[in-house]
Amino acid sequence: MKLYTYFRSSAAYRVRIALNLKQLPYDAVAVHLLRDGGQQKQADYKQKSPLGIVPALETEHAVLTQSLAIIEWLDETYPQIALLPDDADGRARVRAIAQTIACDIHPLNNLRVLAYLTKNIGITEEQKNDWYRHWVNEGLAAVEQLLANDPHTGIFCHGDTPGLADCCLIPQVFNARRFQCPLDDLPVISRIVAACESLEAFQLAAPAQQFDAE
């Protein structure tokens, strides 16, 4: 498998964690989101990912896009180390946590949205950072509530084995730290993040460990 990735992309980070948790080898291909006007916008890459986003996972039969879809494909294709629970209720809960992050928090704060705010709307760097922190703080507070108020929360987001929700949580917290979002009021998230960051699968997926890190 070939993963088109960028070291600091949250979505690519999710898939790197999932591949590592499943102990699946892959070749990483860097798509630099800033260099050359954004390599993700180049025609050859947009043939793989029409929206011009990372990651894309090239398999023997297809090129897959969208991180959650890729991770679920990995879970269905390589079920030996599961990232989703066996029961329907558990799967729904894990997907809800993952989608709160991937669909509600992250899209408001990804690179192309922030670039549009500064270049097209004309907001200042300080206003951009305020925008970022507002949506991250609001979203992570909701995730904290989902985790704190449910007995299915264990060492990780769901039980004592890392899974899909953890694959999404760790990159989002990484970004929150980058933008100096306060995390003091998120004790459950902080505890889960510490547990994840103690595992090699998460450590090897971290942005600083990637071959294209800057």
Side-chain angles (χ1 to χ4, degrees), residues 173-195:
V173 170
F174 168 81
N175 282 336
R177 289 168 173 164
R178 277 187 65 219
F179 280 81
Q180 300 178 329
C181 298
L183 302 174
D184 294 344
D185 294 334
L186 306 173
V188 180
I189 286 177
S190 297
R191 175 181 61 73
I192 292 170
V193 168

Side-chain angles (χ1 to χ4, degrees), residues 17-84:
I17 295 170
L19 285 162
N20 291 347
L21 285 171
K22 287 186 167 290
Q23 301 174 19
L24 295 172
Y26 66 93
D27 295 322
V29 180
V31 179
H32 201 290
L33 302 187
L34 299 174
R35 192 174 295 153
D36 305 322
Q39 294 175 352
Q40 75 279 15
K41 300 174 185 176
Q42 295 175 355
D44 58 341
Y45 183 72
K46 290 193 79 171
Q47 288 184 340
K48 298 177 173 62
S49 176
L51 194 56
I53 58 175
V54 293
L57 184 70
E58 189 170 346
T59 74
E60 187 178 352
H61 305 292
V63 178
L64 310 175
T65 60
Q66 294 295 339
S67 61
L68 296 189
I70 292 170
I71 294 171
E72 293 222 26
W73 178 87
L74 289 170
D75 220 34
E76 293 170 4
T77 308
Y78 302 95
Q80 298 89 337
I81 301 173
L83 300 178
L84 282 161

Side-chain angles (χ1 to χ4, degrees), residues 105-126:
I105 304 175
H106 178 245
L108 290 166
N109 295 290
N110 70 14
L111 180 64
R112 57 201 182 109
V113 170
L114 297 178
Y116 189 88
L117 289 173
T118 54
K119 294 178 183 177
N120 297 75
I121 306 298
I123 71 170
T124 66
E125 190 72 13
E126 183 179 354

